[in-house]
Amino acid sequence: MKIQKAVMQETLHIAVGVLIADVVMCVIFALCRRFDYTVVLGALLGTVFAVGNFFLLGLTVQKAVEKGENVKRFMHSSYTGRMLLYVACIVLGVLIPCFHPLAAIIPLFMPQIVIFAMRLLGIYRPEKAKPQEEADNQ
């Protein structure tokens, strides 16, 4: 399966947005005098899981469109698997002392905030492909 350009491009947008939000989060931790290396490591852990989850969502949607049958079941099982990854991130962030628990959990919510901000600022404009263009791209 070839990864579509749109999946890669949107994942890159989310990654950049989440990293910017991580910097803001680290500044807030510093202002609260709670900043140390565990905050950075926790932010990186959460970011890897959040961006990875978004990428897997894109791949799932791409594959579901190509598959055409049992899409609802396929999407549901993918959702369950991706949520289990979030649980794994939370467990790692809480149990392993080198990660700040809050700094590991906050990035998991950042992709939704980044998407909202991109829409609000007009950066995100979904492309509406014409049927002929879709056929030409395949």
Side-chain angles (χ1 to χ4, degrees), residues 128-138:
K128 295 182 180 178
K130 297 176 184 168
Q132 183 60 36
E133 289 177 355
E134 289 178 1
D136 292 341
N137 289 334
Q138 294 180 4

Side-chain angles (χ1 to χ4, degrees), residues 45-123:
L45 175 71
T47 298
V48 166
F49 275 85
V51 173
N53 181 43
F54 186 84
F55 179 70
L56 289 175
L57 172 63
L59 287 181
T60 301
V61 171
Q62 176 184 329
K63 190 169 183 178
V65 169
E66 293 171 359
K67 194 173 185 174
E69 57 187 47
N70 294 326
V71 172
K72 186 175 181 179
R73 184 176 179 165
F74 178 71
M75 291 296 290
H76 186 268
S77 64
S78 169
Y79 175 79
T80 303
R82 289 183 293 107
M83 290 305 106
L84 287 173
L85 286 175
Y86 267 17
V87 169
C89 177
I90 292 168
V91 168
L92 289 173
V94 170
L95 294 181
I96 300 176
C98 69
F99 300 118
H100 190 287
L102 197 56
I105 294 170
I106 290 173
L108 300 178
F109 298 100
M110 289 183 187
Q112 293 86 351
I113 295 168
V114 170
I115 291 168
F116 176 76
M118 287 172 58
R119 285 185 176 170
L120 192 66
L121 297 172
I123 297 170

Side-chain angles (χ1 to χ4, degrees), residues 12-25:
L12 179 63
H13 288 154
I14 294 301
V16 169
V18 172
L19 286 172
I20 291 169
D22 282 345
V23 169
V24 171
M25 180 182 70

